[in-house]
Amino acid sequence: MKTRILTIMTGLALLGAATFIGTGVSAQTAATEATATEAAAGAIPATSVTTPAAVPAIPTDVTTYSPEQATAMAVQAEQWLQQLKTARARFLLTAGNGTQLIGTFYLNRPGKLRFDYDDPVKDFVVADGVFIYFYDANLGEQSNAPIGQTLADFLLRSDIRLSGDVKVDSVVESGGLIQIKLSQTADAGAGSLTLGFTREPFQLKKWRVIDPQGSVSEVELFQMQTGVALERDLFVYRDPQKKAGSLNQ
């Protein structure tokens, strides 16, 4: 388990929770559909689910943009990501093999995120600003790596740019989303990341990771709240098997 996770984490240095948790979690067959109803202030309601399915195919109803329009969309996405400091959302993860998980996602940039899965899954992922940890409840152990060596680095860096070590391969509108496909500038064959944004309001709705072997995983966000106050303890790794107060062990 550890070897598998660390191999994945040291691969495509883009946005990583999708592939990172998609291959590391215990198998829970959950859902394809999650409610898009906005949460009232406060608690985020559970996401409703139906039957499991593989990662949905990329829609064929594609609207292409002129180079000028594509550049403008990429700039707008970059600005939105730059301004994103804290967020909380429900998520639906779909791995390439059809395994699906639901839970709650927390973000506190730079450097911190958390994925908590709904019961009965007890696994979780947490980044504390330095390391990212994956806790495997079945094995009762954790794997970790420096954030900069993981797929999560792209979203967690203090200065998010859609240039430099990443490049924009395409910008299209498809499936009701503005989809921006990214790859590594130095190694285009290392896989790709596609960010999907809603138009009104303009915000991140989905991301899709294709690894170098062609495996696809996707995370869709629901009921997103941004600019929210989050407890600092959310972003501290605590070993569930140790007593309270045992941090980052």
Side-chain angles (χ1 to χ4, degrees), residues 11-243:
L12 177 63
L14 292 171
L15 179 63
T19 299
F20 181 72
I21 50 184
T23 53
V25 292
S26 308
Q28 175 199 15
T29 303
T32 28
E33 292 183 2
T35 61
T37 304
E38 290 298 322
I44 297 179
T47 301
S48 65
V49 300
T50 55
T51 55
V55 173
I58 297 175
T60 57
D61 55 324
V62 176
T63 300
T64 57
Y65 294 112
S66 68
E68 294 77 14
Q69 290 172 321
T71 297
M73 287 297 182
V75 169
Q76 186 174 4
E78 182 179 276
Q79 291 174 343
W80 188 89
L81 291 167
Q82 286 276 17
Q83 295 170 6
L84 179 64
K85 301 304 179 185
T86 63
R88 177 175 57 202
R90 297 288 291 165
F91 73 87
L92 169 64
L93 164 68
T94 306
N97 63 1
T99 298
Q100 295 178 308
L101 296 166
I102 56 176
T104 304
F105 166 66
Y106 306 91
L107 176 72
N108 190 351
R109 292 186 50 244
K112 300 175 182 178
L113 63 70
R114 185 179 186 96
F115 284 84
D116 278 333
Y117 305 101
D118 287 358
D119 290 337
V121 177
K122 302 299 182 183
D123 302 347
F124 60 87
V125 176
V126 61
D128 64 5
V130 180
F131 286 89
I132 189 164
Y133 299 84
F134 167 73
Y135 179 73
D136 186 311
N138 283 346
L139 297 179
E141 60 185 36
Q142 57 93 356
S143 301
N144 66 78
I147 292 170
Q149 296 179 13
T150 73
L151 302 170
D153 177 63
F154 174 78
L155 183 62
L156 296 182
R157 57 184 61 175
S158 58
D159 186 22
I160 298 178
R161 299 287 180 185
L162 304 187
S163 59
D165 59 346
V166 301
K167 64 184 180 72
V168 176
D169 293 325
S170 65
V171 181
V172 300
E173 188 162 347
S174 181
L177 298 176
I178 299 163
Q179 300 193 19
I180 301 175
K181 184 179 179 181
L182 306 170
S183 64
Q184 289 190 70
T185 302
D187 187 2
S192 67
L193 163 71
T194 299
L195 303 176
F197 292 85
T198 55
R199 184 178 287 277
E200 293 291 342
F202 190 92
Q203 67 179 24
L204 184 64
K205 173 65 173 175
K206 182 183 293 189
W207 65 79
R208 175 187 293 252
V209 174
I210 302 177
D211 72 15
Q213 289 71 46
S215 178
V216 181
S217 54
E218 187 173 277
V219 170
E220 187 165 4
L221 303 176
F222 300 87
Q223 305 157 6
M224 176 181 276
Q225 300 168 325
T226 60
V228 295
L230 299 172
E231 295 291 334
R232 289 193 299 175
D233 284 356
L234 283 170
F235 308 105
V236 176
Y237 175 79
R238 285 187 169 83
D239 188 335
Q241 299 191 57
K242 294 185 179 292
K243 295 180 179 179

